[in-house]
Amino acid sequence: MNHVPRHVVIMGAAGSGKTTVSTTLSEHLGWIAAEADEFHAPASIASMTAGIPLSDEDRWPWLESIREWMSTQAKNGRSTVIACSALKRSYRDVLSRADGRVQFVHLDGAPEVLSDRMATRRGHWMPVSLLPSQLSALEPLDPDEDGLTVDFLNPPGSISTQILEGLIIPDS
């Protein structure tokens, strides 16, 4: 039986716990983890730090670089877990074209919790002022997309269990 590399994209608005959940899941599975923020161009990071939302034109090269990274990992037989906002269906469509099977997990919940989390986290350049633009851009997973939605208020371990069961990921 051939092993088809898989990519699980942990998506959602800022403050939903993408990095925490992706780290927990990648450690459990032994898969390579990536933080999509690390793929942004310096000019994009500077814009967001200044409170200026990115346009779709700013995002396309970023999404394509993430997709290429995913494909490279797949070509080398490696599965991945990626923390990436993937707010719009069109963004997820770009990522879905990576080699291997791409699945999405939307971390969803109350916007007030997101702003509280963003206000208290340390070491991140994304200001709370950009949360409304993220929430207005956010398009939940469509029924034909490969993935599931999970409440981000659950503990990371519980979320990982829901992901493992919901996406039917065999023990690695």
Side-chain angles (χ1 to χ4, degrees), residues 5 22 24 80 93 96 102 130 138:
S22 65
T24 301
T80 67
D93 287 346
S96 291
V102 181
L130 287 182
L138 179 62

Side-chain angles (χ1 to χ4, degrees), residues 131-146:
L131 182 59
S133 70
Q134 284 211 330
L135 293 174
S136 68
L138 179 62
E139 297 171 358
L141 290 173
D142 286 326
D144 66 327
E145 290 183 275
D146 192 355

Side-chain angles (χ1 to χ4, degrees), residues 38-156:
E38 295 175 7
F39 291 79
H40 276 298
S44 293
I45 293 172
S47 291
M48 289 185 285
T49 301
I52 302 166
L54 298 181
S55 67
D56 284 350
E57 291 71 32
D58 296 324
R59 291 182 187 273
W60 298 130
W62 170 68
L63 291 162
E64 289 166 4
S65 68
I66 296 166
R67 183 192 66 221
E68 288 307 311
W69 178 84
M70 293 162 62
S71 290
T72 297
Q73 299 308 313
K75 287 174 184 157
N76 289 310
R78 294 188 289 263
S79 293
T80 67
V81 180
I82 302 101
C84 179
S85 55
L87 298 172
K88 295 181 179 182
R89 171 69 186 251
S90 58
Y91 302 168
R92 296 188 296 272
D93 287 346
V94 170
L95 298 174
S96 291
R97 291 193 295 271
D99 292 344
R101 181 176 179 190
V102 181
Q103 296 178 288
F104 297 92
V105 176
H106 177 192
L107 300 181
D108 193 25
E112 313 78 56
V113 175
L114 296 172
S115 61
D116 289 346
R117 286 180 175 183
M118 289 179 73
T120 59
R121 69 183 178 179
R122 304 243 183 270
H124 200 284
W125 40 262
M126 178 78 137
V128 177
S129 64
L130 287 182
L131 182 59
S133 70
Q134 284 211 330
L135 293 174
S136 68
L138 179 62
E139 297 171 358
L141 290 173
D142 286 326
D144 66 327
E145 290 183 275
D146 192 355
L148 69 142
T149 300
V150 178
D151 187 335
F152 65 61
L153 288 179
N154 292 317

